Amino acid sequence: MKPQLFAHVDCNNFYASCERMFRPDLIGRPIVVLSNNDGCIVARSAEAKQLGIKMGVPAFQVRSLLEQHSVAVFSSNYALYADISARVMTTLEQMVPQVEVYSIDEAFLDMAHLDKCLSVPKLALEIRSRIQKWIGITVCVGIAPTKTLAKLANHAAKIYPATQGVVDLRDSARQRRLMALVPVEEVWGIGRRLSKRLAALGINTALQLADAHPKLIRDTFSVTVERTVRELNGIACADVQPEAATKQQIISSRSFGERIFEFTDMQQAINEYTYRACEKLRLERQYAKAMSVFIRTSPFSDNTPQYSKTLTASLVRPSDDTRDFIALGQSLLQGVWREGHAYAKAGVMLGDFYAPGVYQLELFDGVASRPKSKELMQLLDRVNHSGLGKISFAGQGIAQTWGMKREHLSPSYTTQWTQLPVVK
């Protein structure tokens, strides 16, 4: 197998950093970002972490702490985060031959062969410097012969300031010294639940997991954990994947900011989620045939009757036309709707995907293609992605009173002309 070398690039406190980019008055001030409907804390700045604010805690439980320390609170601004992420990934693609976008704030880089013509640690420092200068986001970089070790190196780069944000973990002795210090739950893919089972076998550190017998680990847990053991020992079990895997399903769902009692409101919500799902479907360049619609009440409410139901159906032919799925979605909603409930969440799921042109049509299916469907959907997406206007279906409604609660939403600094920051 060819020698491998990976770098793992991770944006520090990404959501909080995006909010601070356009608010220099927040430098040094603790920041938290809330989940959908302003429910739980899903991101924290370093200052907020030092205050002891935990990840995932409901915001109302720490309200007094937030007020006491003047913590800046933001609703999730996914349009802003996605745009800043795209800029970070584009910068990385300009600096190395292959980039795997692992998540909105993480990427793996293929560094194999680069070390033959330049200093990889110097390149890592240049990556860190350029992203800071061009984008305004601080990143850490871990370098290692496997992805798991590169993630571990990045973890060390974050917690040890003396590393200047870059850790080179190619040396095996250095790998073992670090692994002896790292709890096993910090290893990529292990997590809290699996670490409890490993602790029962006396495995509490990354080094103890690396020294475990691979076959014993496979027989006790899974082949995935066995691969983690091999990767901790410097044996690469995965390559950089520049192309994202094709999705097998697309889900669009949200909890409502206000409970829905009326059928017309639920019709609008299902149409809105259907529109978003179909937009993603076209971005994936796929056609879908199956669709599911679900609605449910809140499982945390003790005072109202509980209800939850899902229905699935298929089109006669695969399609990426929003109008086809809006019609099917409304038909399914008729089947799942029941009066008298306070609905807290709904959503749609598209599945049974086909690449364009690979579906075998039935000779007598009796369905005629919609004229100019492709051109109409392309026009719809082009206008809505331009930032110059918005076209929607009448069934999505105008005043969506059931929409998400986002009381602390920051402006769309980079995607809306009317919300560009003003320099004074």
Side-chain angles (χ1 to χ4, degrees), residues 35-38 75-78 253-258 273 276 400-407 409:
S35 62
N36 291 339
N37 284 318
D38 294 345
S75 304
S76 295
N77 188 341
Y78 296 116
S253 69
R254 291 282 189 282
S255 295
F256 303 127
E258 303 289 341
Y273 300 150
R276 292 180 186 174
Q400 298 177 343
T401 56
W402 42 268
M404 278 197 303
K405 187 186 294 181
R406 304 171 87 181
E407 295 178 348
L409 185 65

Side-chain angles (χ1 to χ4, degrees), residues 124-132 138-141 164-166:
L125 286 169
E126 174 62 23
I127 288 171
R128 181 175 154 85
S129 172
R130 187 177 296 186
I131 292 176
Q132 176 68 62
T138 302
V139 302
C140 285
V141 185
Q164 299 182 0
V166 174

Side-chain angles (χ1 to χ4, degrees), residues 23 42 112-113 121-122 166 175 177 197 199 240 296 316 361 363 395 402:
R23 291 281 307 274
V42 294
H113 311 305
K122 281 187 178 178
V166 174
Q175 292 168 12
R177 282 201 301 274
R197 295 177 59 196
V240 165
R296 68 171 170 79
V316 177
L361 300 177
L363 185 58
W402 42 268

Side-chain angles (χ1 to χ4, degrees), residues 338-360:
R338 183 179 291 177
E339 291 283 352
H341 291 285
Y343 291 102
K345 188 172 183 178
V348 305
M349 183 178 77
L350 305 184
D352 195 8
F353 287 180
Y354 296 84
V358 302
Y359 179 72
Q360 180 65 51

Side-chain angles (χ1 to χ4, degrees), residues 211-228:
D211 289 341
H213 197 287
K215 186 174 185 310
L216 170 67
I217 294 296
R218 182 180 58 194
D219 293 344
T220 309
F221 299 96
S222 66
V223 68
T224 304
V225 185
E226 180 200 3
R227 289 191 188 121
T228 300

Side-chain angles (χ1 to χ4, degrees), residues 24-39:
D25 59 301
L26 296 180
I27 294 174
R29 187 173 159 190
I31 298 172
V32 297
V33 179
L34 306 179
S35 62
N36 291 339
N37 284 318
D38 294 345

Side-chain angles (χ1 to χ4, degrees), residues 20 23 25-31 45 47-48 69-73:
R20 185 176 277 159
R23 291 281 307 274
D25 59 301
L26 296 180
I27 294 174
R29 187 173 159 190
I31 298 172
S45 66
E47 297 84 358
H69 295 279
S70 299
V71 178
V73 179

